[in-house]
Amino acid sequence: MDDRYSRQILFSPIGKEGQIKLKHKHVLIIGAGALGTSIAEILTRSGVENITIVDRDYVEWSNLQRQQLYTEADAKKRIPKVIAAKERLEAINSKAKIKAKIVDVTPIEMIQLVKGIDLIMDATDNFDIRMMINDASQKYNIPWIYGAVVGSYGISYTIIPNKSPCLHCLMKQLPISGLTCDTGGIISPIVQLITAHQTVEALKILTDNWEALRNKLISFNIWTNQQSSIDVKTLKDRNCLSCGQTPTFPFLNYENQTKTAVLCGRNTVQIRPASTEKRDLQKIASQLENMGKVEQNRFLLSFTIKPYRFVMFQDGRVLVHGTNDVIRAKSLYYRYFG
């Protein structure tokens, strides 16, 4: 057994057998922002060698305050988050096999992503995707760990199919639907606190220490020194459409997903086209170069015509920076990208 894990192996609930299990388990991390980078680094350092990271965005200066795998160089070059994360993680652990997916998750992608996965880690910032994770977890019997942070507040809950209430059950009873990033900001310590709880639960699951799971929803406000631990098992709903007796998994239906999204706290609208075939970014750049400032790398195209900036990815998805008005964003999208 590799010396690098000697201290972890000395921890008897993991031991040599648990370390071997970590090596062979496959974890899916959805989101490569504050939560995702912290989760990915902890699991990579712990010896989880098979990790898939999914994110739709690229590194910006405002990320560097709390998203621990990224550097100023990544922000300057607007490197996709999952590409920068993969490079850092493989430098941390050369045995790690990191799969980087630059995609905006829809039900179609979700069903593909969960194949062969042992655990899903929630590191996203919107409930469209979280509810898709929840339904995929229930449909394919894969545990997942919910986590969210905003300001100085954070929350986490471990969901085990056929045992615990799912997120859909909780949404009907608890006021957690507003927990996304927003203009209220965020401080880095709450990220580390929540990912500590998420990843210790992950280690328990991945090493089959099921009896050690917390089985409670926890929340913290580290600025006001408040914390709570809630037993939610009685909230499991036998009629829940996601985990009840006759589930229909409604959030895996594409019709239930929006094709535009206002990105929280960023004055940005994301537009997903109807088709996701690969775009010729070089050709598009040549069409735009006489209209505004065009920058390009092999992953994306940036086009600025003040007061707006557009970022197009190879799958045709566009981020419209400078507005949170969906109608205005669509108008601009059609004007410049057809």
Side-chain angles (χ1 to χ4, degrees):
M1 185 62 65
D2 197 325
D3 255 359
R4 72 188 298 158
Y5 306 119
S6 59
R7 302 302 186 272
Q8 188 164 277
I9 290 170
L10 287 173
F11 181 66
S12 58
I14 294 181
K16 288 185 179 180
E17 183 179 345
Q19 195 63 51
I20 292 170
K21 290 178 180 179
L22 291 176
K23 174 184 174 69
H24 295 292
K25 295 293 177 68
H26 192 166
V27 177
L28 171 63
I29 303 173
I30 299 186
L35 294 176
T37 52
S38 179
I39 291 168
E41 180 168 345
I42 291 171
L43 294 183
T44 298
R45 290 186 184 277
S46 297
V48 179
E49 295 185 5
N50 298 285
I51 297 175
T52 296
I53 308 178
V54 182
D55 196 277
R56 64 190 180 187
D57 215 342
Y58 59 94
V59 182
E60 296 188 279
W61 287 97
S62 62
N63 302 150
L64 303 182
Q65 166 252 349
R66 67 198 179 283
Q67 299 182 18
Q68 65 190 54
L69 293 178
Y70 307 134
T71 67
E72 290 185 357
D74 297 324
K76 288 177 182 176
K77 297 176 183 177
R78 300 191 181 99
I79 300 299
K81 289 183 177 181
V82 292
I83 302 300
K86 174 181 170 67
E87 291 179 0
R88 304 295 181 277
L89 294 170
E90 291 180 345
I92 288 168
N93 188 343
S94 60
K95 294 183 179 179
K97 296 177 281 293
I98 308 297
K99 294 181 180 179
K101 303 284 188 179
I102 312 171
V103 297
D104 181 45
V105 179
T106 70
I108 295 172
E109 281 86 13
M110 183 65 71
I111 291 169
Q112 294 299 315
L113 287 167
V114 299
K115 291 180 178 178
I117 294 297
D118 297 292
L119 175 65
I120 306 169
M121 301 296 289
D122 168 33
T124 187
D125 63 357
N126 74 79
F127 270 82
D128 248 4
I129 297 177
R130 284 193 180 109
M131 299 308 288
M132 279 188 270
I133 293 173
N134 187 70
D135 274 12
S137 162
Q138 299 301 320
K139 184 173 184 177
Y140 299 105
N141 196 32
I142 304 168
W144 75 285
I145 302 176
Y146 162 63
V149 289
V150 62
S152 59
Y153 180 80
I155 187 170
S156 182
Y157 180 58
T158 301
I159 297 172
I160 310 299
N162 303 311
K163 182 178 180 182
S164 58
C166 75
L167 188 62
H168 199 175
C169 295
L170 300 186
M171 288 279 288
K172 300 171 187 175
Q173 304 290 335
L174 299 175
I176 60 176
S177 60
L179 288 172
T180 61
C181 68
D182 60 17
T183 53
I186 183 172
I187 57 174
S188 183
I190 189 60
V191 174
Q192 305 308 317
L193 179 57
I194 293 303
T195 56
H197 283 275
Q198 284 184 285
T199 52
V200 75
E201 291 283 278
L203 291 176
K204 294 172 188 177
I205 291 171
L206 297 172
T207 59
D208 293 320
N209 281 284
W210 299 94
E211 72 288 347
L213 288 173
R214 183 186 310 109
N215 297 320
K216 292 184 178 181
L217 183 147
I218 58 165
S219 66
F220 301 89
N221 189 321
I222 55 172
W223 197 264
T224 60
N225 306 307
Q226 295 174 313
Q227 65 181 63
S228 68
S229 178
I230 306 172
D231 188 343
V232 295
K233 63 176 178 289
T234 59
L235 299 183
K236 187 167 178 61
D237 181 3
R238 64 198 303 266
N239 297 315
C240 177
L241 295 180
S242 295
C243 73
Q245 293 183 328
T246 55
T248 59
F249 313 112
F251 298 98
L252 292 180
N253 294 327
Y254 185 72
E255 292 76 15
N256 290 335
Q257 309 304 315
T258 58
K259 293 182 176 65
T260 61
V262 178
L263 302 191
C264 49
R266 291 181 52 189
N267 199 32
T268 299
V269 175
Q270 174 183 260
I271 298 177
R272 293 199 307 251
S275 60
T276 57
E277 69 268 12
K278 188 174 180 179
R279 264 54 171 186
D280 184 343
L281 296 182
Q282 185 62 48
K283 180 180 179 180
I284 296 170
S286 66
Q287 294 170 344
L288 296 172
E289 60 186 3
N290 293 326
M291 302 172 66
K293 182 180 180 181
V294 178
E295 298 173 277
Q296 185 182 354
N297 60 35
R298 60 195 178 100
F299 305 106
L300 54 82
L301 165 72
S302 174
F303 168 58
T304 302
I305 181 165
K306 293 183 178 181
Y308 304 103
R309 181 164 64 88
F310 305 82
V311 175
M312 172 175 268
F313 294 83
Q314 288 182 334
D315 62 1
R317 183 169 45 88
V318 173
L319 301 182
V320 183
H321 298 284
T323 182
N324 57 15
D325 183 329
V326 170
I327 296 175
R328 176 62 175 161
K330 282 186 175 181
S331 175
L332 292 165
Y333 171 83
Y334 291 130
R335 182 185 304 174
Y336 297 114
F337 298 97

